[in-house]
Structures are given as C-alpha cells and as structure tokens.
Amino acid sequence: MAARMASIPSTIELVVTDDDRRIARYAAAAIALTIAEAAIPSPLPGVKPGLANIVVLVVLARYGWRDAAWVSLLRVVAGSLVIGQFLAPGFFLAFAGALCSLAVLALAQHLPGRMFGPVTASILAAFAHIGGQIVLARVWLVPHDGVFYLVPVFATAALVFGTINGLIAARLLAVPLAAPIAVSSAPTFQEPSP
Amino acid sequence: MNDLRRALADLLGSAEGPAPPWRSLLRPGDWAVACAGLVFVAASYPLLWRGGTADRAIVKHDGKVVIELALNIARRHEVQGAIGTTVIEVQPGRARVLADPGPRQYCVQQGWLTRAGAVAICAPNHITLELNGRKDGVDSLNY
C-alpha cells in the first residue's frame, strides 16, 4: 500500500495515522449498528435502542473523549448518508442529541471510576440525547409545548436502553483486548477468496 | 446476522471470553444513577400528563357561560337552549351531552369527553359543553 502510493506522484499526501485508522474502524462499527437499527420498526419516531452508542462508550473508556467524539459525530454524519437521512429533520435531531450526550460524557468521565462505570455514562448520555432532541424539536420542528407530553415516553426509553447499552459496553470492556487495534491495519477488509 | 456480529466483534476488538456475570458490571454509583433515572421517569409521568386531564365542565348558551360543573361528583344538569332542553351528564373525570333536541344528535353521539379542551357543540340548540383543565390541552379552538 505504502509502496504503491509512493510510486504515484502526488502534490497532496494525506498521512493516515494509526489514530485515524482506529477511529475509522470504530466509526464503521457504529455506522453498521446505525444501519441495522434503521431496519427495526419503532412505534414512535425517536424511540430507538441507540446501539451505536455502545461503540461510543467503548471508545470513550478505551481511548478518551476526543476519539469518542470523532466516532459519535462520524457515525451521525456517515450513518445518515447511508440511510438517506442526511440533512433531513432526523439528522439534525440525531446531531443535536449526539452533541448533548458528548457534552455530558465530557463531564461524566471525571466521575470517580471506582464508583461509576459505563452504565452511568450510558444512562446520562441517553438522557442528554433525548434532552437535546426534544429541545431542538420544540425550538425548531414543533413550536408548541405539546412536544413535552412525549418526555415521559422518551425518558422511559432512555432509561431502559441507556441501561442495556451501558451493560453491553461494560461487558465488552470487561474482556481484555485480544490484540492492540491501533497497529493492525484493517485485516478484516481483505478480498474474499474465490 | 452472524457475519455482522463477527465483524462488529473484530472492529470492537473484543475477544470471545468468559462472560462476567451481569451484576458485576454494575458499580455502586451505577445503581444510584439508575435509581435516580427511575425517579425522574416516574416523576415525569404525572407532571407532564396531568395537564391534559379535565377538572371542570363549562356549559355555554350563545357563548355565555350558563354553569360550570366540577368533574368530581356525578350529576345531571338541564340547560334551556334555543329549541329545547339539553341534558348534560357529569361523572367523575368526564362529561357528555345525554340528550339534546337537535335533529342530527351530533353532540350526543360524540359520547364522553375526557380531555381538557374537548368540546361538544349542540348547534341547533346553541349549547356548547367544554372541558377545562388547569392547563388546556390546546391553546385555542376556532369554530
């Protein structure tokens, strides 16, 4: 790969660091979950398991907030492109939710780790997520206080899915990494043998 | 589905290992946060959904209030309208037009009204029955 790139004269060379590869891998996992989740029917738009947030929680615990923010925002943008929601109202709601949860996670990561684990981060982020979405919906999409009647429904979903996602993230984090991901350069994307 | 699972496991870098018991994944603070979340959720139901319930019925004739009936005791009330007598029935939490002299009986067939802001209009008799809460379910109605 590197040899071939060097042989082509190029005025612009983007240096892909191990950080970039790692973030791209996690973002790919998050996007895959977003797409899988888009196939799940939902009784109310906005009530979703938010499985991609499991990936964000894992990244937050392993590599810190900066990487988690990259994965989360890449997930929202690229995921919406794939399912055809880019710049649709749902995209802005997801974006607002992601920004709010990232803000809360930035604060939550300073909680003492002995007492508060991924489940706490997940529940807080889930509540922040619906909070951001509802505020944006109230301000922009439905300028009426009737939106707030949905708060109990969304809050219930946030608590349930936040807890479940947090437990899954904690389960993933409890198992030690098989190999450091950063150094391996995408072995999962090999050409399928004929 | 299995492919997706394996691909995700690869991407997330988690090896297949002995699953730790779920209980051990929760730290003391996690329980506290989950309980706080539960309290918040439980509190949000009555706080946000009480506003929609009605607590009194207002009967109007030609737009002027004839009587206000509290929705806490069952009773019937007769109102004289333009072409006859409309009977309003109230039960705890709801109200309806029991009988009306109007030819098409729309307001009678509407049945029980339960939400704040709900209205039954007996146009021929110039009588309206509307429910009111501490906070209306709708901002305004035009008809």
Side-chain angles (χ1 to χ4, degrees), chain A residues 49-115:
Chain A
L51 298 173
N53 298 319
I54 297 168
V55 182
V56 177
L57 290 167
V58 169
V59 174
L60 178 75
R62 279 188 190 153
Y63 304 104
W65 186 83
R66 182 186 151 274
D67 282 24
W70 268 113
V71 170
S72 173
L73 296 178
L74 278 173
R75 193 276 295 180
V76 171
V77 174
S80 71
L81 279 171
V82 173
I83 59 177
Q85 287 278 313
F86 186 56
L87 297 186
F91 164 78
F92 291 104
L93 291 176
F95 199 76
L99 285 180
C100 283
S101 357
L102 285 172
V104 166
L105 286 175
L107 299 173
Q109 64 175 347
H110 296 301
L111 289 168
R114 226 158 39 83
M115 293 291 284

Side-chain angles (χ1 to χ4, degrees), chain B residues 100-109 124:
Chain B
D100 181 70
R104 281 173 292 275
Q105 300 283 303
Y106 287 140
C107 58
V108 179
Q109 284 169 21

Side-chain angles (χ1 to χ4, degrees), chain A residues 113-123 159 162-171 174, chain B residues 20-35:
Chain A
R114 226 158 39 83
M115 293 291 284
F116 299 95
V119 179
T120 293
S122 181
I123 293 174
L159 181 62
T163 308
I164 294 172
N165 290 351
L167 283 169
I168 297 173
R171 160 78 176 75
Chain B
W22 289 107
R23 185 86 71 80
S24 75
L25 300 172
L26 281 162
R27 292 167 213 180
D30 294 339
W31 285 105
V33 170
C35 289

Side-chain angles (χ1 to χ4, degrees), chain B residues 66-119:
Chain B
V66 177
I67 190 169
E68 287 194 20
L69 303 159
L71 289 189
N72 48 11
I73 40 167
R75 62 177 145 169
R76 285 182 189 174
H77 190 83
E78 294 182 359
V79 188
Q80 284 302 320
I83 58 169
T85 305
T86 299
V87 183
I88 308 290
E89 182 176 11
V90 172
Q91 280 187 1
R94 57 184 192 167
R96 69 172 169 179
V97 179
L98 185 64
D100 181 70
R104 281 173 292 275
Q105 300 283 303
Y106 287 140
C107 58
V108 179
Q109 284 169 21
Q110 216 171 328
W112 291 105
L113 309 180
T114 54
R115 304 279 299 177
V119 183

